[in-house]
Amino acid sequence: TPFTVASKELLRACYNKAANLLSTGDFDGAITGFKTAADYEDAQDRLEEAYYQKGEALLEARDFDDGID
């Protein structure tokens, strides 16, 4: 149905935007995008990767307070 196709296109757009944000270091934006695209391809794996990379960046910056979130 057209609705299903549009829904898949929306999930793909969210996933692609999240992947782009992750590659530029916008971890919070990537996390939001991968959560939105949760059922698309490997979005759940990429979500975990975004959380991990955010944690690594906060650890490197010694920003322990934001790492708790």
Side-chain angles (χ1 to χ4, degrees), residues 46-59:
R46 299 295 305 272
L47 175 60
E48 291 176 22
E49 179 184 345
Y51 274 118
Y52 178 81
Q53 287 188 24
K54 179 180 179 179
E56 287 288 310
L58 292 171
L59 183 61

Side-chain angles (χ1 to χ4, degrees), residues 5-17:
V5 172
S7 179
K8 287 181 182 178
E9 289 297 317
L10 185 58
L11 289 176
R12 180 186 1 251
C14 288
Y15 178 93
N16 289 338
K17 179 66 175 179

